[in-house]
Amino acid sequence: MEETFRRSSMEGLMVKEETRVESDGEDVGTNNTGKVSGNKRKAHDDDSTWNPPSSDQKNLGTIKQLESAKTKMGEVREENERLKTLLSHILKQYQSLQKDFSNTVQQNQDKKSTLTITSTDQDQIQEAHEFFSLSLGRSSSAFKIEEKYSNIGKLKKNDDLQEGLALGLDCKFEVPNSYQTSKNTSLENRSIVPKEVEIREQWPLSKIIKTMRSEGDEVPEQTHPKKARVSVRARCDAPTMNDGCQWRKYGQKISKGNPCPRAYFRCTVGPTCPVRKQVQRCSEDMSILITTYEGTHNHPLPMSATAMASSTSAAACMLLSGSTSSHPLGTSTTNTCANLHSLNLSFPDNYKSRQIYLPNSSFSSHPTITLDLTAPSSSSSLYTPYQINRFPPTSLNFSSLESSTTPASWSNGYSECGTQSYYKNPMVGGKNKEYIPYMAENNPSPPQQPLSTETIAAATKAITSDPSFRTALEAAISSVVGSGV
DNA sequence: CGCCTTTGACCAGCGC
DNA sequence: GCGCTGGTCAAAGGCG
Ligand SMILES: [Zn+2]
């Protein structure tokens, strides 16, 4: 399975690479300025030589065209080489990550050997493996995106582009600097929507959960399925964080124990998008803004919004996947995870890790991942040791990550905040075509019963110790933080 | 005019 | 059953 996927994804990569070069050639060819080494191009060249030799000027022009074509061809070849280098780089990283991951899984298994090893664990591990393979499969399209981006000459939206680039790079594949510079090459091509991603059917999580629940006979159907949440704590003076998405406020409440009202927002990018977020100031420190995301988008997202979105969906997957796979519909779970994780983001190197912990809010019935951007950067305080709760807390400390140059806004514990008017965000109004397909929660990944402590713990541990997950979360936060730039 | 925010009403879950 | 609380709805009004 895994191998199959990896292979197929590799083929996809190759095919796309070739396709790209060819199409470039054709583009160039139609302009009569370029030449590419394929047979196709030779045909073009022959065409040009068939011109009646009536005018020397025409011949001269043809020669000049040929020269420039050669030059361009050289450029294309260079780029091709770069891409190949990049590909091998990615593969190397993938392999090392896979090693890491299997190590982690093994450690996990060892630790759990004292406990009863349930089928859930096995499945989980399997899922995780499948995630890797599938995500690489996705990365082929991601790679395509990269390629396309590499052709964008102007770097106006460089930040967003980087996000887009990173978005495609699953499993912490980092873009080599040499490659990044290659974005300076000319040519214009922005149609960057891999169909394979677009096509994916999209299921609201709640629907899925209900479906799953109805399959499981003993569990009574609940009106509010427990959706995983991602909570972000950041210092922010503005009323809300600008995460690149479009939100409509649909409610406000003064919650108990906090004088500051909690605002409820709903994603309005897609008409049926189930994503919600809650924004509330911390009662202890009013400068801290707590933003809680719930659900995953079922529509394409602006570049600036994808990181956060993928993080939430990844979190949802992470927290919900643990108990499902022992059921007949486990395959769907796997898919979900694959989808979600495939959206993992690698990030431009300059992000310092932050605390990420999974208290799984014992106070609410929602499993929650909390990302704390407010603590001093190198703080290593671990949150909440294990407790026996419905959703046992798990803590993570990411400060040990190697990549570390903190953006100024982060190092202060401050994040960029947008204004309330998200719709004013130039990235959102449809002016930009840098939408990347974002599919998530399109497949069932719900628990059919309350998650067992061990399962959740194992799931969170396994996944969060996975570098790609860390990367994804970092990316998400970074996106939120940097989206306003 | 369309989309937004505001805000009180309403609903469901939960504990007693 | 009742009250509390969190979350959502929807009418009303504002804004560009
Ligand atoms: Zn959405």
Side-chain angles (χ1 to χ4, degrees):
Chain A
M1 174 79 175
E2 183 184 354
E3 280 300 316
T4 318
F5 258 97
R6 198 198 311 184
R7 231 174 285 134
S8 62
S9 66
M10 276 303 304
E11 284 166 14
L13 268 175
M14 289 314 195
V15 165
K16 268 157 193 164
E17 199 169 7
E18 285 171 12
T19 309
R20 181 192 164 275
V21 170
E22 236 178 75
S23 64
D24 275 355
E26 282 177 356
D27 288 348
V28 172
T30 51
N31 291 335
N32 259 344
T33 55
K35 176 190 168 191
V36 163
S37 61
N39 291 334
K40 240 177 208 172
R41 276 310 303 169
K42 275 188 181 168
H44 277 271
D45 291 342
D46 288 345
D47 287 344
S48 62
T49 53
W50 287 342
N51 289 339
S54 56
S55 71
D56 291 348
Q57 283 186 350
K58 234 180 186 177
N59 281 340
L60 270 178
T62 309
I63 290 172
K64 279 183 183 176
Q65 284 177 359
L66 276 176
E67 282 175 0
S68 67
K70 279 180 184 175
T71 315
K72 288 210 170 182
M73 181 181 162
E75 286 174 8
V76 171
R77 275 185 178 159
E78 271 181 31
E79 200 185 335
N80 198 17
E81 286 304 313
R82 272 199 301 268
L83 290 174
K84 280 181 181 173
T85 314
L86 173 67
L87 175 60
S88 62
H89 186 74
I90 288 174
L91 281 177
K92 275 182 192 171
Q93 285 191 334
Y94 165 71
Q95 281 165 1
S96 70
L97 282 172
Q98 201 175 24
K99 266 186 193 173
D100 285 352
F101 180 74
S102 51
N103 283 343
T104 307
V105 168
Q106 197 130 28
Q107 284 176 8
N108 225 20
Q109 242 174 344
D110 293 345
K111 280 180 188 173
K112 295 203 60 181
S113 61
T114 53
L115 302 171
T116 47
I117 295 186
T118 65
S119 62
T120 309
D121 300 320
Q122 308 272 10
D123 289 346
Q124 176 196 330
I125 290 160
Q126 195 188 345
E127 273 175 38
H129 276 290
E130 284 170 0
F131 140 55
F132 265 88
S133 55
L134 287 172
S135 63
L136 183 59
R138 178 60 43 78
S139 75
S140 63
S141 58
F143 191 76
K144 191 177 178 184
I145 294 176
E146 275 180 65
E147 288 179 331
K148 301 287 185 177
Y149 271 130
S150 74
N151 290 332
I152 298 174
K154 295 182 179 180
L155 298 176
K156 260 185 186 176
K157 302 266 166 75
N158 202 13
D159 289 346
D160 287 324
L161 291 183
Q162 286 199 348
E163 281 183 29
L165 276 170
L167 180 79
L169 295 175
D170 200 1
C171 301
K172 209 181 177 178
F173 290 157
E174 288 177 5
V175 183
N177 289 335
S178 61
Y179 176 73
Q180 296 215 359
T181 56
S182 78
K183 281 192 289 189
N184 289 317
T185 52
S186 56
L187 297 179
E188 199 52 53
N189 191 350
R190 290 198 170 206
S191 58
I192 48 145
V193 181
K195 281 177 186 171
E196 63 202 275
V197 181
E198 237 178 353
I199 295 170
R200 290 199 173 255
E201 191 187 359
Q202 316 205 342
W203 269 34
L205 187 58
S206 54
K207 184 179 171 185
I208 295 158
I209 290 176
K210 276 191 179 175
T211 311
M212 298 284 284
R213 282 234 172 89
S214 59
E215 303 251 342
D217 29 4
E218 290 184 3
V219 183
E221 182 157 332
Q222 297 178 18
T223 35
H224 291 298
K226 311 256 186 298
K227 289 182 185 176
R229 292 175 170 178
V230 175
S231 178
V232 179
R233 288 164 55 96
R235 292 190 188 278
C236 180
D237 292 328
T240 58
M241 285 199 294
N242 186 355
D243 47 18
C245 220
Q246 215 173 340
W247 302 96
R248 166 184 291 170
K249 188 176 181 179
Y250 66 88
Q252 179 168 314
K253 272 275 172 174
I254 294 189
S255 54
K256 198 186 171 189
N258 192 338
C260 304
R262 173 185 299 166
Y264 299 89
F265 294 88
R266 170 178 297 152
C267 174
T268 58
V269 176
T272 60
C273 182
V275 175
R276 318 234 149 140
K277 79 169 180 180
Q278 302 173 3
V279 177
Q280 186 173 32
R281 294 221 165 265
C282 180
S283 55
E284 292 142 10
D285 186 347
M286 304 289 238
S287 65
I288 295 178
L289 196 70
I290 304 170
T291 308
T292 305
Y293 296 87
E294 176 182 313
T296 41
H297 301 271
N298 59 5
H299 51 83
L301 279 176
M303 279 300 178
S304 50
T306 36
M308 193 64 232
S310 67
S311 134
T312 58
S313 47
C317 169
M318 179 181 71
L319 289 170
L320 295 179
S321 63
S323 67
T324 50
S325 41
S326 58
H327 292 278
L329 294 176
T331 356
S332 325
T333 304
T334 321
N335 286 342
T336 306
C337 280
N339 292 343
L340 297 177
H341 284 282
S342 69
L343 291 164
N344 279 0
L345 315 170
S346 172
F347 231 71
D349 323 308
N350 49 342
Y351 291 96
K352 170 120 185 169
S353 55
R354 287 287 176 160
Q355 292 176 3
I356 300 179
Y357 49 103
L358 313 170
N360 290 320
S361 56
S362 51
F363 42 87
S364 87
S365 57
H366 298 265
T368 305
I369 296 180
T370 302
L371 310 165
D372 194 343
L373 307 185
T374 62
S377 60
S378 62
S379 156
S380 59
S381 61
L382 291 178
Y383 285 75
T384 36
Y386 271 63
Q387 298 166 10
I388 306 300
N389 274 330
R390 175 123 72 139
F391 297 105
T394 309
S395 51
L396 290 174
N397 175 20
F398 280 20
S399 50
S400 63
L401 280 184
E402 57 273 12
S403 63
S404 54
T405 27
T406 315
S409 58
W410 279 50
S411 55
N412 302 335
Y414 269 90
S415 61
E416 296 277 342
C417 302
T419 60
Q420 288 171 301
S421 313
Y422 285 137
Y423 50 90
K424 289 176 186 168
N425 184 345
M427 279 304 298
V428 189
K431 294 175 189 171
N432 296 283
K433 294 179 182 175
E434 292 100 347
Y435 276 81
I436 61 169
Y438 178 72
M439 40 88 240
E441 83 165 354
N442 25 3
N443 289 302
S445 162
Q448 293 185 353
Q449 48 188 276
L451 308 178
S452 78
T453 305
E454 291 87 354
T455 305
I456 294 280
T460 49
K461 261 194 195 171
I463 300 177
T464 51
S465 56
D466 171 6
S468 69
F469 178 76
R470 293 190 300 214
T471 312
L473 286 174
E474 285 179 312
I477 302 308
S478 308
S479 162
V480 172
V481 164
S483 60
V485 182

